Amino acid sequence: MPVQPVPGEGVPLDDRGLAYGDGLFETVLVRDGVPLLWEQHLARLARGGEALGIALPARATLDALPARVGEGLRVLKLVLTRGSGGRGYLPPDVPTPRLRWQAAPFSPSPSRWGGVRVRHCHLALAIQPRLAGLKHLNRLENVLARAEWSDPEIAEGLLSDAEGRLVEATCMNLFWWREGRWETPRLHRCGVAGTLREALLARLDLREVDAFPEVLASSEAVCLGNSVQGVWPLIRLDDAEGRPLARWSPGVRHRALQAEAHGLLGYPRRPGDSTE
């Protein structure tokens, strides 16, 4: 049965996405009806659908959605669940997937393009290779990690896995410059493979590595990024208790990564520049 997208209201209580997190989602930056990094978003959705066994809507159905969100800068959120049915955790033999969507006006945070303070989180991400890289609906680890601080001066929290390896921030991917190149954590155990990260891997000399938190303090530059907010350079990193571990002054390395990423998103390539 074809999957038909409808606005986000009216999800029944027996929907498996609501009950079990049995589904996927994408958040897409849309500028005047044009989705940014659209191919990367659809590719990740397809990988998730294959991994979970959830059929996707027809490509033409998905392609028609961004034009419906209106003018200006907006974020389109797509939520695809397995639908209703099954017995307990057992999925139905023939699921009827349910796609919901909503769009909202969006304004980025230009002040954070100039540099942010970040902390490590206490929470450790569980290692589950079958879900690694996917943007599935069960994000309780991220919710608990984000609840660890309320200080508005702290923009993000860094997460490591249960064996201590760096993974990501609560809602952004992580990048650092050392030994003459950019590096980012490998995401084959856990974490979300962000669409901006995927685009940068294809365009830059960006290496995926296994690394532990100590690498950050010895790196020349550290940044966070995602396909909605753009790239935030780190100017201070704290431990989970709020004690400073490292400081940086945004420089040529930060700005080069930011320029590459923001060129893909239509944001200023340097803080203070116009988008025109």
Side-chain angles (χ1 to χ4, degrees):
M1 180 180 297
V3 184
Q4 295 298 324
V6 297
E9 303 83 7
V11 176
L13 289 178
D14 66 352
D15 183 271
R16 296 182 63 87
L18 180 62
Y20 308 125
D22 188 4
L24 306 158
F25 74 106
E26 295 288 331
T27 47
V28 184
L29 189 67
V30 180
R31 190 180 298 276
D32 296 323
V34 177
L36 285 305
L37 301 179
W38 186 233
E39 293 302 322
Q40 287 85 355
H41 282 288
L42 293 185
R44 183 173 61 188
L45 190 64
R47 290 194 300 271
E50 181 178 4
L52 299 184
I54 299 176
L56 269 60
R59 173 66 189 256
T61 299
L62 292 168
D63 284 342
L65 289 177
R68 299 174 63 180
V69 308
E71 298 296 313
L73 193 63
R74 294 176 178 268
V75 170
L76 169 65
K77 183 169 185 177
L78 306 175
V79 177
L80 178 67
T81 76
R82 199 181 302 273
S84 302
R87 182 176 180 181
Y89 292 133
L90 180 67
D93 291 335
V94 184
T96 303
R98 182 175 285 119
L99 178 66
R100 293 289 189 267
W101 66 274
Q102 66 178 18
F106 177 72
S107 296
S109 303
S111 64
R112 292 184 169 179
W113 294 337
V116 295
R117 177 183 168 191
V118 170
R119 54 162 277 170
H120 285 289
C121 293
H122 289 288
L123 184 137
L125 293 173
I127 295 172
Q128 178 46 267
R130 287 192 62 178
L131 298 177
L134 306 185
K135 198 161 186 178
H136 55 76
L137 288 174
N138 193 330
R139 312 275 18 134
L140 278 177
E141 291 175 316
N142 305 69
V143 170
L144 292 174
R146 183 58 187 87
E148 289 186 20
W149 80 93
S150 58
D151 184 348
E153 296 298 314
I154 299 174
E156 253 287 18
L158 301 187
L159 293 164
S160 298
D161 67 21
E163 296 177 350
R165 300 178 189 85
L166 285 170
V167 180
E168 60 191 1
T170 65
C171 66
M172 306 181 86
N173 287 123
L174 174 63
F175 310 89
W176 61 87
W177 177 277
R178 67 165 180 165
E179 300 177 356
R181 68 191 301 174
W182 284 103
E183 296 179 338
T184 191
R186 294 178 69 197
L187 300 178
H188 62 298
R189 298 179 182 88
C190 56
V192 176
T195 55
L196 179 61
R197 176 182 180 276
E198 292 298 304
L200 292 175
L201 281 167
R203 297 170 68 93
L204 300 177
D205 183 18
L206 174 60
R207 177 172 57 186
E208 297 177 281
V209 299
D210 287 323
F212 292 85
E214 294 76 18
V215 73
L216 300 178
S218 61
S219 296
E220 182 179 336
V222 184
C223 292
L224 302 177
N226 69 28
S227 64
V228 172
Q229 296 288 355
V231 167
W232 297 348
L234 266 65
I235 57 175
R236 173 174 163 176
L237 174 62
D238 294 350
D239 67 13
E241 307 302 332
R243 296 173 295 228
L245 294 175
R247 299 177 188 267
W248 297 267
S249 295
V252 62
R253 302 302 182 195
H254 299 89
R255 300 307 179 213
L257 183 67
Q258 194 168 56
E260 189 72 34
H262 286 198
L264 296 169
L265 301 175
Y267 288 151
R269 291 176 179 265
R270 294 182 300 176
D273 284 356
S274 170
T275 57
E276 299 300 322

